Amino acid sequence: MAEPTTGRKKDDSAAVFTQKASLVSACVHGVKDWAAALDKTLALLAEKPPLDPQVPSEKKTDPSARILAAPNLDHERFRHLSEKCGPYPHIQLIRDNLRNFPGGIDMGVTTADYGIADTGTLVINSNEEETRLATMLCEVHVAILGVSDIRETALSMTGELAALTREKGSYTAFVTGASRTADIERVLAIGVHGPLELHIILVEDD
Amino acid sequence: MAETRESLTSYKHRLGDALDNRFLRQAMDKFAVAYRASRENAFAGMDVAELIQQVADIKAAAIDDNKALLAQFVTKARAHGITVHLADTAEDANRIIGEIAQKTGSKKIVKSKSMTAEETHLNKWLENLGLEVTETDLGEWIVQLRKEGPSHMVMPAIHLSRFQVADLFSDVTGTDQDAEIERLVKVARKELREKFVQADMGITGANYALADTGTIGIATNEGNARLVTTLPKVHVALVGIDKLLPTIADALTVNRILPKNATGQAITSYVTWITGPSECKTTPSGKREMHIVFLDNGRSNIAADPVFSQVLQCVRCGACANVCPVYRMVGGHQMGHIYIGAIGLITTYFFHGLENAKNLVQNCTNCGACKAVCAGGIDLPHLIKEIHARIQDEAGHPLQSLLLGKVLKNRKLFHRLLRTAYLAQKPVIDKNTGPAPKEKGPGFLRHLPMIFSSDHNFRRLPAIARVPFRDRFARLNRPVENPRFTIALFSGCVQDFVYPEHLEAAMRGFAQHNIHVVFPMDQSCCGLPAVSMGETSAARDVALQNLDAMAMGCTNYDAVHYIVTLCASCASHLRHGVPKLVRDYAPEKAAAFADKVVPFSVFMNDILGIAPEAGAGADAGRKTAFHSPCHLCRGLGVHDSPHELIEKSGNQYVPTDEEETCCGFGGSFSTTFPAVSNEILTRKLDDVTGSGADLLVTECPGCVLQLRGGAVKQGRKLTVCHLAELLYPSS
C-alpha cells in the first residue's frame, strides 16, 4: 500500500482534489466518519427526484420508491446502511442482480479505492460486474473516498495503479465527474450513458 | 465521405459548397475560437513543450520497439484468456470480427467510438453479414443515422446544428423533438439503453495497449464504452499496433496531453483499464469472451520508413484539425477522408491510397499551426509536403508543377521570365493603388492575366516591378566605414521582382545603422514554392545553388556576420527546410549557412537593438496591428520583436486575436484553392478591422500580397505594409 503521507500534504491534496472535482461539476462533501457518510448518502437520496426509466417498464411504480444499490460495501458497512434504511420502506436497498434494472436505478453508492488530486479523479476497482453496473445504471453516483487515499497525480501512483490493473480479469475505472458529452454544437451536456450526477463523500477518519 | 477517384475540380466544388454552408461556417469558427481558449486554460501553468517532448519520446521508442511490445502483449493477453488476432489488412480485421460474431451467435452489436473501425469500414462489413450494428457514442450515432462519416476524430458531428439533430431524432423516434441540446442528449440515452441491453457483442477501440500487463485503456466521456464492455457477453477490441506502449506509466504520460489537446479537458470523464475477460454473470463461465484484433494495415511499413515513422506518434487527439485554418473554413468532410485534419492528409495516403489522398494533400497552407500543437511532436507540414511529392512521383507531376520546377532550377531563365512578365502585364497595370497613398509600388494588375481563372480575382494582384531590386542594388549600396556588421541580403524572388520597395526601405535602415550590405547576384528563389508544389528535386537544386551563391567563395559563410532576409518564409525555409533537403549532399555547409540566417525583425530589434523613434514616419501614432507570418511565429519562434519595432516606429501596437493565424496565402495554396484562401483572408481582415487598427504590418511579401490585395479588393480602410516600410518610409 501507499507510503504514509504527512498531515499537511494530505490536507493540500484533499483541497486540490475538491477543487478539481468541483470544476467538472462533481459535488464534494466532507464528513468525519463512515457513519456520517452513510447518513449523507441517505440525505442525498431523500432529495432525489423519481427515476426516469430508460426502458419501458410494465408495472407502474410508486413515485416515492427509490432503488439504492451498494454492491461493493463490505458486509459490515452494508449491514449498517441496511439498518439506516430500515425506517424507510420506500427505499429498496440492493447489492446483486443489477442486470434486472436495465431501466436504471436511483442511486449507486460505492467506495472508491483512490482519489487523484490534480484531475479530481476517482479510481474504482470495478472487477465485479455489480460494481460496474451500479456506477453505470444509476442516475446519481455517490462515491465514498477516504482522505488518506488521495494521491497528487496519476503518475505519482503508478505502482498502486499497476497493482490494480495487472490482475487477470481486472477492470479499473477512472471516474472524473458525471457522464458528459459535447457532441452537439460542442455544448456541454451532463448525463449521457452514465450518471447524471456524481457526489463524492470525503471521509476524514477512514 | 469522399468517393474515390474524385477529380480536383469536383473536390473544389465540394469545398465551395462547404464555404456556402452558413451553419457549418459558424459552427467551425466558434469551435476554433473556443478551442484555443480552452486548450490554453487546460495547460495553464504547465510546460507544454516538455510534455509534448515526453510523449514524442515515449511514442517514438514504442514504435522502434513495436514488434517486441506486440509479442509481449500477446503472451500476457493469452495468459489472461484473451483471444488475440493479428490482422495484416483492413479486410482481414473485418473478416476476423465478422467470424467472431458468427461463431458466438451474435446478432446485435453495440460499438463505442473507434477511429480504427472507421479506417477499416467495419460497420459496412458487419451489416453486409446481416448484423445490426449500433454506434453508441452520441456523435457517432448521429453520423451513423445520417449515413455519414465523422467530421472530426473526437467530435464526429461537430458539423451539425442542434436543429439538424432534432430533425433526425424526430425521424428516429417518430415523435417531434425540440432542438434543445439537454433533451436531445436524453433522447439518445433512452434510445440507446435498449440497444445496450439487447446487444450480444460489444466492439471498442483502445487508446492504449500496455505490453507489460496485457491491458487496454479506453478514454471516453459519455460512459458508453463502459456499458459496451459490461453488458454484452462478447467484447472485441480493434486496436492499431501503434497503440502499444510498454507500461501504464507511459499511457498516463500520454493521457496528460490527450484530453487537454482534444477538448481542453484535464481528463475525460472515464478512463477504463481492462485486463482480460472480466466478470459477466450471464455466461456459463462467469467471464466475458474477449478478443483483441491488432491491426497493421500498413503501420509496419510506416514504422520502417525513416521519414514517415513519426506518423505513428499520433495519439488521435484531433488537435491538428482544431487549429487548422482550412478545417475552420470547410469542416472535416472536406479536410480528410476517414482521418481528419493534418494527420489525415498524411495517413489517407497510407491507409486509403493515393487516389483518396491526391487532392486532399494539396489543401494545406503550410502554416504550421498543427505542428505547434501536435501532442506527438509530429512535423506535420513537412510530412504533408513529403506525401505530396511522393504522390507526384508515383502518379506523375502535373505540367504546371513540372514547369515551375524546371524554371526554378535555372535562375537566369527564371529571372528572364519575370522581366518578360513585366512587359507582358504593362497594358493591364492600374496605377491607382487604392486607399493607401503612401504605397509607391507599380500598382495592381487591372485584369488578371489569362492564365488565372476568374476566382483568383478575390484579391488585387500586384504588378511586377519595372526595375527589380537586383538592378537597383548597386545604386542603393553605399560604402560603409567601420561597419558594425557585414550582412548578406537574401531578397527572395517576390521582394526582388514585385516589392523591391521593401528592400529599399531596409537599405535605408541598414545605412543609418552602419551596416555593410552585400547582395550575391547568383542568389535565386529560396525554393519553398518548389517544395510546396511537391517538386523536391528542383527544390534541392535551388537550395544547393543558393548555398553556393551566398557563400561568395568563402567557407562557412565567414565573409558575413548574418544573412538577413525580409521574407519570413524564405528565412524559415533557409534555416529549417534547406538543411533537410540537402542532408545527403551538403549537411555541414547547410548547417553553417542556416546558422547565419535571421529575419529582418530579429536583426533590427534584437541584434542591432535599434532605439525608439528610429526612422519614425510622418504619420506615426497610428493604431497598428501585426500579422505574424506563419513562418515567423511558428517557423522561427519569433513573437515579440515585431511588436517592439512597431512601438519603436512611433506607432501603437494593437494586439489582435488572430495575429498568428494564417492569412490564407500559402504560396501555391492560394492559386489552387482560391475560394478557401479568400475566406481565410476575409476572416483575418475582419479580425484586424475589429481591433480598431487602420494599419496592418507584416514581415513577409507573400502576406503583403494577400492582405493588401484583399484589403483593396474589399474596399477596407486599412493600409498594409512591410515592417521595413513602417520603420524607414521613403521621404
Side-chain angles (χ1 to χ4, degrees):
Chain A
M1 283 306 281
E3 46 190 287
T5 49
T6 66
R8 170 99 188 90
K9 207 167 159 188
K10 212 167 78 178
D11 291 349
D12 285 354
S13 293
V16 174
F17 178 87
T18 302
Q19 187 225 341
K20 297 293 180 182
S22 307
L23 282 179
V24 287
S25 51
C27 301
V28 184
H29 315 272
V31 298
K32 189 81 188 101
D33 54 23
W34 258 88
L38 297 180
D39 289 338
K40 182 67 198 176
T41 303
L42 291 181
L44 289 167
L45 185 62
E47 291 165 14
K48 190 193 166 294
L51 186 80
D52 174 17
Q54 300 299 303
V55 295
S57 69
E58 310 82 43
K59 57 171 192 227
K60 196 85 183 143
T61 48
D62 170 8
S64 72
R66 296 287 181 275
I67 304 165
L68 174 63
N72 79 349
L73 298 197
D74 63 30
H75 186 73
E76 189 58 25
R77 283 170 179 159
F78 186 82
R79 193 181 50 80
H80 200 163
L81 181 62
S82 180
E83 280 166 15
K84 285 182 186 288
C85 291
Y88 310 104
H90 65 281
I91 301 179
Q92 183 186 354
L93 178 64
I94 55 173
R95 65 183 316 174
D96 286 312
N97 300 318
L98 268 78
R99 273 185 192 261
N100 297 340
F101 300 87
I105 55 176
D106 289 280
M107 183 177 282
V109 54
T110 68
T111 56
D113 296 69
Y114 300 102
I116 304 172
D118 78 333
T119 50
T121 299
L122 299 166
V123 180
I124 302 176
N125 174 332
S126 306
N127 298 358
E128 289 176 12
E129 178 175 297
E130 304 296 354
T131 305
R132 261 174 280 150
L133 290 174
T135 61
M136 293 172 194
L137 298 177
C138 63
E139 288 187 345
V140 177
H141 178 197
V142 176
I144 304 178
L145 173 68
V147 169
S148 61
D149 292 324
I150 298 175
R151 305 288 177 265
E152 281 178 72
T153 65
L155 275 172
S156 71
M157 54 177 297
T158 50
E160 288 152 322
L161 291 173
L164 270 178
T165 54
R166 80 162 64 96
E167 293 306 316
K168 177 176 175 172
S170 148
Y171 193 113
T172 304
F174 284 12
V175 177
T176 311
S179 140
R180 64 188 53 219
T181 187
D183 272 353
I184 304 176
E185 293 188 12
R186 206 174 171 272
V187 172
L188 181 68
I190 304 287
V192 197
H193 300 303
L196 314 176
E197 284 178 31
L198 174 66
H199 292 265
I200 301 168
I201 302 181
L202 278 183
V203 183
E204 190 60 40
D205 305 327
D206 191 10
Chain B
M1 217 176 305
E3 291 301 311
T4 54
R5 296 188 180 276
E6 183 182 35
S7 70
L8 183 60
T9 313
S10 131
Y11 178 51
K12 285 193 203 181
H13 280 305
R14 245 183 341 116
L15 294 174
D17 289 346
L19 292 172
D20 289 340
N21 180 338
R22 190 191 290 176
F23 174 77
L24 176 72
R25 296 290 304 281
Q26 276 175 357
M28 300 318 294
D29 197 68
K30 248 169 70 181
F31 171 49
V33 172
Y35 170 74
R36 195 160 48 202
S38 54
R39 180 180 187 268
E40 205 176 296
N41 191 30
F43 280 114
M46 299 176 118
D47 183 344
V48 188
E50 197 196 312
L51 286 175
I52 288 175
Q53 193 56 52
Q54 286 173 5
V55 171
D57 290 346
I58 286 173
K59 291 289 289 184
I63 293 156
D64 264 358
D65 209 20
N66 190 263
K67 286 196 167 62
L69 291 174
L70 181 60
Q72 191 187 0
F73 187 100
V74 170
T75 307
K76 278 281 171 191
R78 288 188 173 145
H80 293 323
I82 303 170
T83 311
V84 183
H85 312 258
L86 304 176
D88 272 343
T89 66
E91 196 182 317
D92 288 347
N94 292 343
R95 189 172 46 244
I96 290 165
I97 295 171
E99 284 168 6
I100 295 168
Q102 286 166 332
K103 269 187 204 151
T104 55
S106 302
K107 295 272 183 281
K108 296 186 175 186
I109 297 173
V110 279
K111 266 184 80 206
S112 74
K113 188 169 161 30
S114 157
M115 280 310 298
T116 314
E118 297 287 346
E119 176 186 327
T120 67
H121 301 288
L122 176 62
N123 287 6
K124 203 189 256 176
W125 183 282
L126 296 176
E127 282 162 2
N128 283 343
L129 296 177
L131 303 167
E132 179 195 292
V133 185
T134 308
E135 294 286 350
T136 60
D137 171 83
L138 174 58
E140 284 284 338
W141 188 51
I142 292 169
V143 297
Q144 183 189 30
L145 291 171
R146 286 174 58 94
K147 301 186 173 26
E148 289 178 327
S151 71
H152 188 280
M153 292 205 289
V154 294
M155 283 161 290
I158 187 70
H159 60 293
L160 297 173
S161 75
R162 67 188 73 188
F163 303 102
Q164 288 164 296
V165 176
D167 288 348
L168 180 71
F169 284 7
S170 302
D171 285 349
V172 170
T173 58
T175 32
D176 266 1
Q177 300 294 343
D178 294 337
E180 196 198 313
I181 291 174
E182 280 283 343
R183 307 235 320 238
L184 292 169
V185 169
K186 294 296 178 284
V187 170
R189 179 181 172 93
K190 201 163 271 181
E191 291 291 319
L192 289 170
R193 183 65 62 90
E194 289 266 22
K195 302 286 182 188
F196 284 120
V197 172
Q198 293 164 0
D200 308 302
M201 178 167 139
I203 298 177
T204 69
N207 296 87
Y208 311 107
L210 311 179
D212 72 334
T213 53
T215 302
I216 59 168
I218 307 172
T220 71
N221 277 316
E222 299 180 4
N224 55 323
R226 288 153 49 87
L227 287 164
V228 166
T229 56
T230 293
L231 289 172
K233 299 188 298 290
V234 183
H235 171 204
V236 180
L238 175 60
V239 185
I241 54 171
D242 53 314
K243 299 292 173 64
L244 282 157
L245 292 173
T247 69
I248 196 168
D250 300 305
L252 292 170
T253 304
V254 176
N255 209 53
R256 290 176 80 189
I257 298 194
L258 175 59
K260 297 184 182 76
N261 237 22
T263 54
Q265 291 175 278
I267 189 168
T268 50
S269 300
Y270 304 104
V271 186
T272 304
W273 307 97
I274 301 174
T275 310
S278 54
E279 187 185 35
C280 178
K281 289 190 164 172
T282 52
T283 65
S285 68
K287 293 280 182 186
R288 184 176 343 282
E289 180 171 335
M290 183 173 177
H291 298 258
I292 295 182
V293 181
F294 276 110
L295 178 69
D296 190 313
N297 202 25
R299 286 166 173 79
S300 294
N301 291 336
I302 300 176
D305 187 311
V307 177
F308 288 102
S309 66
Q310 54 170 315
V311 165
L312 301 180
Q313 287 166 220
C314 175
V315 301
R316 306 273 188 268
C317 65
C320 57
N322 302 357
V323 297
C324 172
V326 179
Y327 177 83
R328 180 173 177 175
M329 297 299 143
V330 302
H333 288 146
Q334 284 63 244
M335 195 54 192
H337 177 64
I338 301 294
Y339 290 104
I340 309 292
I343 193 70
L345 266 48
I346 302 163
T347 54
T348 297
Y349 170 81
F350 290 106
F351 297 151
H352 300 107
L354 183 148
E355 281 298 331
N356 288 309
K358 66 182 192 326
N359 298 328
L360 272 181
V361 78
Q362 299 179 60
N363 204 355
C364 166
T365 70
N366 201 29
C367 77
C370 48
K371 179 183 174 181
V373 298
C374 176
I378 307 171
D379 190 349
L380 294 156
H382 172 61
L383 294 184
I384 290 169
K385 293 303 163 203
E386 289 275 346
I387 288 284
H388 188 189
R390 192 177 277 204
I391 288 176
Q392 298 208 152
D393 287 348
E394 287 174 24
H397 292 236
L399 186 61
Q400 205 189 356
S401 160
L402 266 183
L403 279 176
L404 176 102
K406 287 251 184 299
V407 169
L408 280 184
K409 277 206 270 197
N410 184 337
R411 181 190 68 78
K412 286 184 178 157
L413 169 65
F414 174 47
H415 286 171
R416 197 160 58 239
L417 282 173
L418 286 171
R419 288 171 198 271
T420 315
Y422 167 73
L423 297 173
Q425 75 191 357
K426 258 176 122 174
V428 293
I429 293 178
D430 181 353
K431 285 287 178 195
N432 178 6
T433 57
K438 295 228 61 153
E439 286 159 17
K440 287 254 172 57
F444 292 92
L445 287 176
R446 196 146 28 98
H447 310 295
L448 286 166
M450 297 295 283
I451 51 163
F452 293 117
S453 66
S454 63
D455 53 0
H456 295 249
N457 212 4
F458 66 88
R459 63 189 168 201
R460 301 289 297 274
L461 284 176
I464 290 174
R466 189 173 61 85
V467 183
F469 178 76
R470 54 179 54 239
D471 295 356
R472 305 182 189 195
F473 178 75
R475 176 175 56 78
L476 295 166
N477 190 32
R478 305 218 173 80
V480 181
E481 280 180 41
N482 304 320
R484 272 183 78 187
F485 293 108
T486 297
I487 63 169
L489 188 57
F490 186 89
S491 66
C493 34
V494 180
Q495 277 164 329
D496 194 352
F497 284 88
V498 179
Y499 295 124
E501 64 269 25
H502 297 174
L503 296 157
E504 285 200 347
M507 289 297 283
R508 288 190 283 276
F510 296 147
Q512 271 181 34
H513 292 279
N514 248 20
I515 306 302
H516 175 52
V517 185
V518 291
F519 186 83
M521 286 295 165
D522 285 343
Q523 63 178 285
S524 188
C525 167
C526 70
L528 184 61
V531 174
S532 94
M533 297 283 279
E535 296 295 329
T536 312
S537 85
R540 182 178 302 118
D541 269 25
V542 175
L544 291 167
Q545 285 173 36
N546 279 326
L547 284 179
D548 272 348
M550 300 308 285
M552 296 176 293
C554 293
T555 50
N556 290 331
Y557 302 87
D558 43 18
V560 296
H561 294 102
Y562 297 99
I563 298 167
V564 177
T565 173
L566 275 69
C567 171
S569 295
C570 292
S572 167
H573 179 65
L574 296 178
R575 184 150 346 138
H576 302 303
V578 165
K580 263 186 214 143
L581 279 167
V582 304
R583 82 185 132 219
D584 297 330
Y585 299 79
E588 282 153 25
K589 195 172 179 179
F593 170 77
D595 257 6
K596 298 253 164 163
V597 174
V598 289
F600 177 73
S601 58
V602 170
F603 182 68
M604 300 310 284
N605 192 65
D606 307 346
I607 296 169
L608 284 186
I610 64 166
E613 89 266 358
D619 59 352
R622 292 170 75 176
K623 285 178 121 183
T624 307
F626 185 63
H627 163 67
S628 187
C630 302
H631 293 120
L632 186 73
C633 56
R634 286 177 292 275
L636 297 163
V638 176
H639 303 277
D640 300 328
S641 309
H643 305 166
E644 288 167 23
L645 288 173
I646 288 170
E647 291 283 337
K648 285 175 180 181
S649 77
N651 291 288
Q652 183 201 344
Y653 163 67
V654 182
T656 49
D657 293 340
E658 308 287 345
E659 175 172 311
E660 297 192 345
T661 307
C662 182
C663 68
F665 178 63
S668 57
F669 171 81
S670 65
T671 55
T672 312
F673 299 108
V676 183
S677 176
N678 181 32
E679 292 302 314
I680 298 176
L681 168 65
T682 302
R683 181 68 183 81
K684 176 93 207 177
L685 293 173
D686 285 347
D687 180 54
V688 173
T689 314
S691 74
D694 64 346
L695 185 56
L696 174 60
V697 178
T698 186
E699 197 183 337
C700 167
C703 303
V704 170
L705 184 154
Q706 174 90 344
L707 296 166
R708 187 187 285 168
V712 171
K713 176 84 187 178
Q714 298 181 8
R716 294 186 190 242
K717 290 195 172 57
L718 189 66
T719 309
V720 179
C721 73
H722 190 281
L723 200 47
E725 297 176 286
L726 181 76
L727 284 163
Y728 306 105
S730 58
S731 43

